[in-house]
Amino acid sequence: MRHHNNHYDNMFDSALQQNRQQWFETAQGQYVLRQEQYYFDRVVADIFGYNATQIGFAGVDFLRSSRMPFKFVLGMEEGASANAYPGFLPIRSDSLDLVLLPHTLEFNSYPLQILHEVHRVLIDEGKVILSGFNPFSLWGMRQRITKSKMDFPWCGRFIDLTQIKDWLELLDFEITGGQFGCYVPPCAEEKWLTRLHFMEAAGDRWWPIAGGVYFLQAVKHGCGVRVIQPDWKNSSARARKAAAVPQLEGD
């Protein structure tokens, strides 16, 4: 059974790469790419460390604004720094400061296994940033009604953001940030994407959870540890109060 699944994944990957490249050359693809590049550029610039990797989407450099000295792309597509399945990363445990997953989970058969691997290769307090298509949006609706399930991005398995959060928390990640984007309907023509651009600001204000794409940031904590800030001020006050009460001895 596992061999059959791997064979299916290889076929899926081959078709996916071809269709994805063609889609990114369309007005619709360029619209999504601009939104995602802007988000990743802004966020990764403020994350410090030494080693960062992007898993998938080798043709787009989402790490270009990172100041980390060692950056590379993993995947099975042309342009990757090294060939590797996202669910089986050839990377030493506890060695990366940052991992990007641009739509990686929804275009692979084992999304939870990928997150397990990401958790393994990240150092404690290492960060993961991911993006995905929102199934509860106009883009998700388009994906459900489209007839051709081989066309990108409608061939993906769009994953509910709540499900992603549950998986991350299960693996002892702490959600630290996120954002929705791409509120314009999935129009094919540039003129409609331009005319409906006002929906970006309106959507972010009035229906923020309906964006076509979501972004999520999380940090890894080792061994399920959460940092608790002691309430030193109140504790000291209680201690002083207790010390001021005289201990009365019985007659």
Side-chain angles (χ1 to χ4, degrees):
M1 179 63 70
R2 183 58 180 270
H3 175 74
H4 172 74
N5 286 339
N6 282 341
H7 176 66
Y8 169 78
D9 287 347
N10 289 338
M11 294 175 61
F12 182 74
D13 288 344
S14 177
L16 172 66
Q17 292 172 33
Q18 182 178 0
N19 289 331
R20 184 181 65 193
Q21 183 60 38
Q22 293 173 352
W23 185 73
F24 273 131
E25 295 172 0
T26 68
Q28 193 179 80
Q30 287 292 305
Y31 160 69
V32 173
L33 184 60
R34 285 193 300 269
Q35 294 265 328
E36 301 214 9
Q37 189 75 72
Y38 174 75
Y39 180 85
F40 282 114
D41 282 350
R42 182 164 45 88
V43 172
V44 302
D46 294 328
I47 299 176
F48 300 95
Y50 298 96
N51 304 302
T53 188
Q54 172 183 321
I55 301 177
F57 277 62
V60 184
D61 186 7
F62 288 123
L63 282 169
R64 68 183 186 182
S65 294
S66 173
R67 288 173 276 185
M68 295 191 191
F70 188 54
K71 301 177 287 185
F72 58 98
V73 180
L74 292 177
M76 295 303 296
E77 62 228 77
E78 182 179 353
S81 306
N83 289 336
Y85 283 107
F88 300 95
L89 300 176
I91 301 175
R92 182 166 51 87
S93 299
D94 306 309
S95 61
L96 297 179
D97 300 278
L98 172 64
V99 174
L100 299 191
L101 299 174
H103 295 283
T104 310
L105 301 180
E106 61 204 341
F107 293 102
N108 284 276
S109 297
Y110 308 101
L112 184 54
Q113 171 64 23
I114 294 172
L115 291 178
H116 270 284
E117 279 292 272
V118 170
H119 184 274
R120 179 183 66 81
V121 301
L122 280 173
I123 64 171
D124 288 348
E125 305 307 311
K127 296 176 175 61
V128 58
I129 307 174
L130 61 86
S131 64
F133 285 105
N134 180 12
F136 303 112
S137 69
L138 293 175
W139 291 73
M141 183 182 299
R142 167 69 185 278
Q143 191 259 355
R144 289 191 292 274
I145 66 175
T146 188
K147 295 180 179 179
S148 177
K149 295 299 183 181
M150 289 303 294
D151 290 339
F152 188 92
W154 321 120
C155 59
R157 305 173 181 92
F158 295 2
I159 306 174
D160 179 6
L161 180 59
T162 302
Q163 177 67 79
I164 301 291
K165 290 181 175 180
D166 288 344
W167 285 340
L168 289 170
E169 291 173 357
L170 178 68
L171 293 169
D172 289 320
F173 281 101
E174 178 186 359
I175 309 299
T176 57
Q179 182 178 314
F180 284 87
C182 296
Y183 293 95
V184 175
C187 306
E189 298 183 18
E190 178 68 38
K191 66 177 182 179
W192 287 110
L193 291 170
T194 301
R195 289 176 183 177
L196 297 173
H197 184 72
F198 72 91
M199 294 181 68
E200 293 298 339
D204 196 42
R205 180 175 181 180
W206 298 110
W207 52 89
I209 62 172
V213 171
Y214 56 75
F215 303 93
L216 198 62
Q217 303 174 44
V219 59
K220 169 186 172 180
H221 291 302
C223 303
V225 174
R226 293 290 186 274
V227 177
I228 300 175
Q229 180 64 43
D231 190 359
W232 297 117
K233 183 176 179 180
N234 290 338
S235 297
S236 298
R238 286 194 296 269
R240 288 194 301 270
K241 183 177 180 180
V245 178
Q247 300 297 316
L248 302 179
E249 297 181 359
D251 295 333

